[in-house]
């Protein structure tokens, strides 16, 4: 091969690799768990008080500050994975949250393998900094319970 063909092959390969890299970056970059908390509604918020013991004793919470929780979720990020949501064991999760985003029903599971998904068979989204998110949600829920007791 001539020097010109080798140079063109290297340049073309480089351009293709950069293009593929950009596509993967924009497709899998971290993004907020929910975009517009003002347009969302929590359908279900359940807490597993036996999470540390490996049991599943979920309590569906009815008294909580919905806007604070939605705002908290919008401050954390998730990133798309290659994994597909094919069911899960509730023993592995501390929180189970279902949110109506206006367009979809999004499920969020926080625990050993924290993820969100739109439905069974769809891609899983890995929650970034899930331990911090769980702690922040616990604080919001506890503050809400203290407020309810004082009023």
């Amino acid at each position: 091969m001539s020097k010109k063909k080798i140079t063109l092959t290297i340049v073309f390969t480089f351009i293709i690799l950069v293009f593929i890299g950009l596509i993967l970056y924009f497709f899998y970059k971290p993004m907020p768990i929910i975009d517009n908390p003002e347009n969302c509604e929590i359908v279900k918020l359940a807490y597993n008080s036996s999470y540390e013991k490996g049991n599943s004793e979920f309590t569906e919470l009815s008294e909580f500050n919905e806007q604070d929780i939605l705002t908290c979720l919008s401050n954390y990020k998730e990133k798309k994975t290659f994994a597909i949501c094919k069911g899960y064991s509730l023993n592995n999760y501390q929180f189970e949250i279902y949110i109506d985003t206006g367009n979809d029903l999004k499920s969020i599971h926080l625990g050993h393998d924290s993820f969100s998904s739109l439905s069974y068979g769809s891609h899983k989204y890995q929650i970034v900094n899930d331990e911090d998110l769980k702690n922040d949600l616990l604080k919001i829920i506890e503050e809400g319970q203290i407020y309810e007791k004082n009023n």
Side-chain angles (χ1 to χ4, degrees):
M1 281 176 48
S2 70
K3 193 173 186 178
K4 186 176 181 180
K5 283 185 178 180
I6 291 173
T7 304
L8 285 174
T9 303
I10 290 171
V11 168
F12 184 68
T13 303
F14 178 75
I15 291 171
I16 289 175
L17 290 174
V18 167
F19 182 71
I20 291 171
L22 287 172
I23 289 173
L24 289 174
Y25 171 75
F26 286 110
F27 194 65
Y28 289 99
K29 74 176 182 175
M31 57 190 172
I33 295 172
I34 56 174
D35 286 329
N36 297 318
E38 302 83 25
N39 298 335
C40 295
E41 178 183 344
I42 297 176
V43 176
K44 178 182 178 182
L45 173 60
Y47 174 69
N48 181 1
S49 58
S50 295
Y51 165 72
E52 297 297 331
K53 299 174 189 170
N55 297 329
S56 177
E57 295 178 20
F58 274 90
T59 303
E60 190 167 341
L61 305 176
S62 57
E63 298 293 326
F64 54 86
N65 187 324
E66 181 176 44
Q67 200 55 46
D68 284 353
I69 290 174
L70 292 171
T71 300
C72 178
L73 290 170
S74 71
N75 290 326
Y76 283 88
K77 297 191 180 294
E78 64 184 2
K79 56 185 176 181
K80 195 171 191 176
T81 67
F82 290 109
I84 302 296
C85 182
K86 294 185 178 180
Y88 46 87
S89 169
L90 288 177
N91 292 353
N92 294 327
Y93 299 101
Q94 186 173 15
F95 285 99
E96 182 181 38
I97 308 168
Y98 289 89
I99 298 175
D100 181 355
T101 64
N103 299 324
D104 296 301
L105 183 65
K106 185 172 201 167
S107 65
I108 301 169
H109 298 84
L110 300 171
H112 295 299
D113 174 30
S114 298
F115 72 94
S116 73
S117 66
L118 295 176
S119 64
Y120 180 85
S122 68
H123 280 277
K124 282 185 174 182
Y125 290 79
Q126 177 188 358
I127 307 294
V128 179
N129 297 328
D130 61 329
E131 289 297 321
D132 292 338
L133 174 56
K134 288 188 289 187
N135 291 331
D136 285 351
L137 288 175
L138 280 171
K139 286 178 193 171
I140 292 169
I141 290 168
E142 288 171 0
E143 286 172 5
Q145 291 173 342
I146 291 168
Y147 176 79
E148 291 295 324
K149 287 179 186 176
N150 290 336
N151 287 328

